[in-house]
Amino acid sequence: MDTPFRHEFHPSILREYDIRGMVGKTLFENDAQALGVVFASVLREQGRDHVVVGHDGRDSSPGLEQALVGGLVSGGMNVKRLGCCPTPELYFASFREKAAGAIMVTGSHNPIGYNGFKIVLGNQPFFGEALLRLAQALRGGVQLGVQSGQARWCDYDGRYEAALAEGLRHRARKLRVVWDNSHSSAAYALSRLLPRLPGEHIVLNGTVDGLFPAHHPDPTLPENMVQLQHAVCVAAADLGVAFDGDADRLGVVNESGALIPADRLSLIFAQSILQERPGAMILGDVKMSQVFFDGVVAAGGRVAMCPSGHSEVKSAMRETGAAFAGEMSGHFFFADHWPGFDDGLYAAIRLIDLLAGQSQTLSKLCEALPHLVSTPEIRFECDDDIKFAVIDRIVARCRAAGDDLVLTDGVRVKAAHGWWLLRASNTQPALVARVEGSNHATCHDMLAHVASLLQDEGVVFPVIEGFPPNPGETGP
């Protein structure tokens, strides 16, 4: 019998949702090959051999993809290679072909120098404990396939862009839209999609560039949206949209260039869906505003809170049969007229469709929603080896104090006039916080409380713009 294939990943790259690390430091091409070998063994156990593979536009991605494909083929898999594409195009191809598995090589929104893998098994996310078991199997040794598989490049057939365009059902009102591709791997799909759409479309940063020269590809950070905001105002556009590095996330600005938080946009999407599907289940992650959860109920829907992270949300959707889910990080999951995976391009189409179907501007739709005072998502450094223990100790202290806790993901504490959240990031050495209250003073008090809890743990909580240390300095 041949000697089993053995390999050990750097422990830091096994994240909750995927595999992610710094290329040349914690992540190497032999890791990609090993992933292919061990994932092939998982599929062989199921008697299946069809895998779809794609990669984003980072400079390291083609080499990692080639090594990954080599591992899959040596493990007996037949691999369809999409080349450079957005992650949702890979998901779409996997769903369409009922593939046994799919792997995307992508660093997503992480800094330059990072890369990784998003893994799908039977069109369901492969993450968490499943990733740990995969790594354990590699350490013990994995047999290669009895015979090698084959790899072939996928010819462009236009079905992804055609399906996206079908999401635009209302075409009477033609909109002017600015698209910030952020030099993401959606560039090719976007160039083929836009000629299918009515209206006027202006593209920023429309080429693939792994160095992201215009700005970092993370639409949740306001500094990365400045170019789009300016372009929307100059063009007198109806809205602007922006992608992250692999285009599974979406950021949005309205016609005046104002940023639209993902929880408010999620509620607008949910209200629209509930008009067609009264009583449908709608999900929001733990970082979402209470306005979202209350608004879904007011619109006649059922609502539930789920953990953050695209893999966790998709699992919760499968368990609950939800028609839609929104996540504060800009992942939007439609399962009414779409297969339920996160897709920044499709979310943009649905927003255009929503606006084209009525006369109100995006700002007017947002103004009609209830308003509370809330911070943005606050992400701050905390070492990977202590961050979960910090949360556990704070949970214990909150329990001892008799606080009203939600422990779906980290700890969300209900206060008299609002709530605060503290959780460990599953993708970075960081903690994440958010606070929402009826006014600035309430938010300030909760922020001070969170800062005090963290100070006792030796963790520095940042000063938040708009919520200075002296509450008297804030507005009403």
Side-chain angles (χ1 to χ4, degrees), residues 19 27 43 74 142 147 174 213 233 249 266 313 345 393 438 441:
I19 296 173
L27 180 66
L43 296 179
S74 68
V142 174
Q147 63 183 30
K174 295 178 174 58
C233 294
R249 297 199 297 170
S266 292
V313 176
L345 290 95
R393 287 193 293 270
S438 56

Side-chain angles (χ1 to χ4, degrees), residues 74 77 128 142-143 193 198 358 400 403 424 470:
S74 68
M77 294 297 106
V142 174
Q143 293 291 345
L193 169 66
Q358 42 82 51
D403 291 335
N470 178 2

Side-chain angles (χ1 to χ4, degrees), residues 283-360:
L283 301 182
D285 79 316
V286 295
K287 294 180 284 187
M288 289 284 213
S289 168
Q290 193 61 39
V291 169
F292 169 81
F293 297 103
D294 294 344
V296 169
V297 174
R302 294 174 294 132
V303 71
M305 189 181 295
C306 64
S308 294
H310 68 94
S311 297
E312 295 278 11
V313 176
K314 279 178 268 199
S315 293
M317 291 186 76
R318 183 177 71 252
E319 294 168 3
T320 62
F324 172 78
E327 191 183 10
M328 198 64 203
S329 59
H331 291 267
F332 302 99
F333 310 78
F334 292 86
D336 55 346
H337 302 293
W338 201 242
F341 55 77
D342 40 339
D343 187 336
L345 290 95
Y346 183 72
I349 291 293
R350 288 294 291 263
L351 181 57
I352 294 170
D353 180 62
L354 190 154
L355 292 175
Q358 42 82 51
S359 60
Q360 290 194 74

Side-chain angles (χ1 to χ4, degrees), residues 173-179 198-202 231-241 253-255 352 355:
R173 181 184 172 198
K174 295 178 174 58
L175 304 180
R176 180 178 296 164
V177 183
V178 181
W179 302 72
E200 182 180 350
H201 300 275
I202 302 164
V232 166
C233 294
V234 169
D238 294 287
L239 76 156
V241 296
V253 302
N254 68 16
E255 75 282 359
I352 294 170
L355 292 175

